[in-house]
Amino acid sequence: MKQLWAAVAVIAVLSSCAARAEGHRWTIRRQGKSGTAGTTFRLRRHPVVALTFDDLPAGGGLAPGDSRTRIATSLVSELKAHHLKGVYGFVNAIDVDDDPDMQHALRIWVGAGMNLGSHTWSHPSLNDLTAEAFESEIARNEPVLAQFAGKRNWHWFRYPYLYEGDTQVKREAVRGWLREHGYRIAQVTLNFDDDAWDDPYGRCMAVHNETAIAWLKQSYLEDAAEYLRVGREEEIIAFGHEVPNVLLLHENPFTTLMMPELFKVLKQQGFRFKSLRSVERNPVYAKDVGYASRLGGSLPDQFLNAHRLAYPPLTPLPEAKLDKLCR
């Protein structure tokens, strides 16, 4: 395979989640020419995936009259309808102590048999903090996790924005702290930036623009279908074969609304559902690419970037339309 440096772009994804640090509304996307155009990838008929949800209990904004309790109730109901238990939700606890609605949402999540993990206390970018400050963010999140998770294992950690460290020293320092404190990194293989649709949905709901909402639903599902397939192709390039997957989603109003249709997309691609713990027993998840970068990304992204391998072709996120819709 001809090795190329894959250009990586950063695309805006507006989030109204209060836990997110100001100035960090961006996630990893790829653009530019690809070195694998025309390549035929032999994908498995029945891939495996673990669903995971970031930004509990307050992903995205709330419409007037809506609540975190309502969103959590709807989401766990859909997960249970598909016989899923032990799904991990990654918590930012910054506002939990002062918000009974958020507290109730976490109780509903855990009461339905789901698990909690850490996403730091206030969702900062590791690029902007020292290792010590970032470690303090993780530690500050622990009391809420211990309170709501009880005896369940909450020592799973997901980096905000999937940023694992922009310098090697910082990267290794944080990883060392996580190991010493009993954490496992919850890596991601599949990510279609589901949260990019949530703010436009809130705006369009506010002005009752049903045509725009219909486009949001259709484009969301099209993006999901393509990125699920391309993410699996990335694994073949990065590792030589597909691996059991971890899908990154967000507990926000729009993804919760779209879960029944998203399950249809997953089943159309043959996915079978497993737990995060089961999936990440695969040896590929123990690999450390050892590559510091400001760009972060999924586990396949990290390996493609570190080894200068080309990405498969991909339709860009419709960021301009998402940003302008219903303004």
Side-chain angles (χ1 to χ4, degrees):
M1 180 188 302
K2 183 178 179 181
Q3 293 191 339
L4 299 172
W5 179 255
V8 183
V10 180
I11 291 182
V13 178
L14 180 61
S15 170
S16 54
C17 175
R20 294 204 172 186
E22 180 125 6
H24 291 282
R25 298 175 296 175
W26 302 81
T27 188
I28 303 303
R29 303 299 277 203
R30 303 176 295 282
Q31 67 177 11
K33 293 183 178 179
S34 167
T36 60
T39 301
T40 299
F41 295 93
R42 301 184 66 177
L43 300 178
R44 292 180 179 177
R45 291 183 61 188
H46 297 292
V48 168
V49 67
L51 304 188
T52 62
F53 292 83
D54 283 7
D55 298 349
L56 269 68
L62 283 179
D66 202 0
S67 70
R68 304 299 176 189
T69 297
R70 197 279 307 169
I71 293 167
T73 300
S74 178
L75 181 55
V76 299
S77 176
E78 190 63 28
L79 295 174
K80 290 174 69 176
H82 292 272
H83 311 290
L84 297 185
K85 298 179 181 179
V87 173
Y88 268 85
F90 294 91
V91 174
N92 307 118
I94 181 171
D95 293 319
V96 171
D97 285 344
D98 299 323
D99 193 320
D101 183 31
M102 291 188 188
Q103 296 166 18
H104 195 198
L106 288 177
R107 291 190 196 100
I108 288 169
W109 181 264
V110 174
M114 308 306 166
N115 291 324
L116 300 178
S118 180
H119 202 35
T120 72
W121 186 72
S122 67
H123 206 290
S125 165
L126 179 51
N127 291 347
D128 293 341
L129 298 182
T130 64
E132 293 78 10
F134 192 76
E135 292 155 12
S136 294
E137 273 274 338
I138 304 171
R140 194 174 182 181
N141 214 38
E142 291 182 346
V144 166
L145 292 171
Q147 175 187 350
F148 286 91
K151 295 181 179 180
R152 298 184 191 179
N153 179 18
W154 47 265
H155 284 84
W156 283 82
F157 178 75
R158 176 159 294 153
Y159 289 89
Y161 314 103
L162 303 183
Y163 293 171
E164 296 195 12
D166 53 334
T167 70
Q168 198 65 31
V169 171
K170 185 189 294 186
R171 186 177 189 277
E172 294 306 317
V174 172
R175 281 177 165 254
W177 189 95
L178 290 169
R179 285 193 299 269
E180 290 170 6
H181 290 79
Y183 284 92
R184 177 91 184 261
I185 298 171
Q187 292 286 2
V188 171
T189 61
L190 301 176
N191 175 22
F192 65 92
D193 289 347
D194 65 301
D195 57 341
W197 278 258
D198 192 60
D199 277 354
Y201 172 67
R203 296 194 302 268
C204 294
M205 282 287 289
V207 297
H208 308 289
N209 189 330
E210 296 298 330
T211 299
I213 292 171
W215 177 84
L216 285 169
K217 292 178 178 179
Q218 182 63 30
S219 62
Y220 178 97
L221 295 174
E222 290 173 353
D223 188 79
E226 180 172 7
Y227 272 78
L228 290 169
R229 174 183 56 78
V230 172
R232 295 164 63 196
E233 294 174 354
E234 287 183 12
E235 295 166 13
I236 295 173
I237 299 170
F239 310 124
H241 55 84
E242 284 190 67
V243 300
N245 291 281
V246 178
L247 174 59
L248 168 61
L249 297 167
H250 292 80
E251 190 202 39
N252 60 40
F254 192 64
T255 284
T256 299
L257 173 70
M258 295 301 294
M259 283 306 298
E261 295 303 315
L262 182 58
F263 269 114
K264 291 179 183 178
V265 172
L266 289 163
K267 291 183 176 182
Q268 286 168 0
Q269 294 198 13
F271 278 100
R272 296 173 293 132
F273 303 105
K274 298 288 185 180
S275 69
L276 175 67
R277 213 170 303 172
S278 173
V279 164
E280 298 218 356
R281 290 194 188 108
N282 187 281
V284 76
Y285 288 97
K287 294 182 178 181
D288 180 2
V289 68
Y291 179 69
S293 170
R294 291 189 63 84
L295 298 174
S298 70
L299 191 61
D301 288 339
Q302 295 176 46
F303 274 81
L304 292 177
N305 290 340
H307 298 290
R308 301 187 177 185
L309 297 171
Y311 284 94
L314 187 66
T315 303
L317 182 80
E319 54 171 326
K321 186 167 183 176
L322 288 170
D323 185 57
K324 294 177 181 178
L325 203 64
C326 297
R327 288 195 184 277

